[in-house]
Amino acid sequence: MNKISLAKRLNNNKRGYLIINANQGKHRPALIEDVKNEYETLAKLSEGILKNALVIGFAETAIAIGATLAGSAGAYFMQTTRENICAENEYIYFTEAHSHAMEQRLVLPDIKAIYDKVERIVFVEDEITTGNTIWHCIEEIESIFNGNKKYAIAPLTNTLSDNRKNFFKEKNIDIIYIQNINKESFEEDVLYTVTDGDVCRIGNVSAAKDIKYIDFKTDIRTRRLLNIKDLDDEIVRLENTLEENIDIKNLIKDKKIITVLGTEEFIYVPIRLAEYIDKNTEEFAKVYVHSSTRSPIEVSKEDDYPLNTRYEVKSIYDKNRQTYIYDLKNSDIFFLVSDGKDKIGENDILEAIRLAGNKDIYFIRWDNEQQL
């Protein structure tokens, strides 16, 4: 399965395995050039379904993939979210039954604003296993609007059974993907995984010293309905700000290993920043990107197992929520990029980065004064 490997979920009785894509840049560090190629491959395959579309990326893992697809076609973009970004009565609710965090939500006023302006709604995922979550979302949307909108699904990896493929075919829902995999043996494949990886539980740490902070003030709220061009233009403004304030091009010069880390749902901006860094480094440099996540996954030292070390940290969005970072790299320079503001979670993440051997650490905060 080359770029695809299996990991064992931690304390999940609904589904024992998780598909890890080495080129996704989410759960494990990935070279930004591989991430870019993966996303652009799916975008090219999806050209036919993206015209005059609303693209919806699923939290957490497919937000950056969806944003990239939307950007490739000049489409509108939304993400599902588990964060509290508006009043309780302003969401469309549906669930992701196999997930560690079941509740998924779309912002209802944003759907209302765009529903009649697009021809199709395209759901983007890193993998589609049953399609139940997406189908529930379609049912919820159509129960409100009853517009018989066209729908499509674009995952990196398709593991649907033949019965489920036929189900979506009968519903006239196109499914575009890079790789098709038979998942029948996956539960058994991870059952006897030796979970002897390194686990670092972080808590009650004081503020990290010698961190360089950059606050980037912005009006762009990444969890709301977006024209991706507006977000991309704002990321260019961020890059210009970094050039002016910290001389970033000179800062990364001659660095061999550089890591950019996002946080939970906030991963598209870090990925784009990693692309910018990669363009401005020497040819020998390796630029990695990944993010913290809500996903609890077992770690192992077994050969070919995708995740070896787990850092357990409080969320930078909510100190009462446990989150995880996997396989942090000891880098010549390290960029944490987040829109989170919880100080306890911030301290935890920075401590994990430091414990991984990193000394030259920059925290770039995407600072929107409004609620997320």
Side-chain angles (χ1 to χ4, degrees), residues 346-357:
E346 174 186 318
N347 291 346
D348 275 15
I349 293 176
L350 290 170
E351 177 68 4
I353 294 168
R354 187 190 65 79
L355 289 175

Side-chain angles (χ1 to χ4, degrees), residues 322-351:
Q322 186 72 64
T323 56
Y324 309 89
I325 315 172
Y326 299 93
D327 293 353
L328 283 165
K329 287 189 172 293
N330 184 348
S331 308
D332 296 316
I333 188 168
F334 198 108
F335 296 95
L336 172 63
V337 187
S338 178
D339 61 349
K341 295 183 177 181
D342 186 278
K343 195 63 181 178
I344 292 175
E346 174 186 318
N347 291 346
D348 275 15
I349 293 176
L350 290 170
E351 177 68 4

